[in-house]
Amino acid sequence: QKGEDGMRFSEAEAAKYLGVHYRTVRYWRVTSKPRVEFRIIGKRAYYAKEDLDKYLEGVVVKPEEAK
């Protein structure tokens, strides 16, 4: 599927890419916590790979920050 950077994921595909359950992604979408960007097309939510990668970059904890 195509998006801004060439890839767009369904809710289930986004969950698999992030390594979480699809219900977790749905919960995030409904509560906006954490904020993961998505787009509604018709009645379905889609996630751009670029946005998922931004989320993943934001959850990286550097060893010096973990103390």
Side-chain angles (χ1 to χ4, degrees):
Q1 297 184 6
K2 299 293 180 183
E4 292 173 9
D5 70 346
M7 295 197 74
R8 177 175 70 198
F9 297 108
S10 68
E11 194 171 73
E13 292 167 333
K16 185 175 182 180
Y17 184 76
L18 295 173
V20 298
H21 196 276
Y22 79 91
R23 288 184 182 155
T24 301
V25 174
R26 184 174 296 163
Y27 176 80
W28 291 346
R29 179 170 49 85
V30 172
T31 63
S32 297
K33 295 177 184 178
R35 185 72 180 136
V36 179
E37 296 295 321
F38 65 93
R39 287 138 185 94
I40 300 292
I41 301 173
K43 294 182 179 182
R44 296 181 185 251
Y46 289 95
Y47 299 82
K49 181 179 182 297
E50 177 180 304
D51 293 332
L52 297 177
D53 289 339
K54 285 180 188 176
Y55 167 76
L56 289 173
E57 289 172 14
V59 297
V60 173
V61 177
K62 297 177 184 173
E64 61 273 10
E65 295 173 355
K67 294 178 181 178

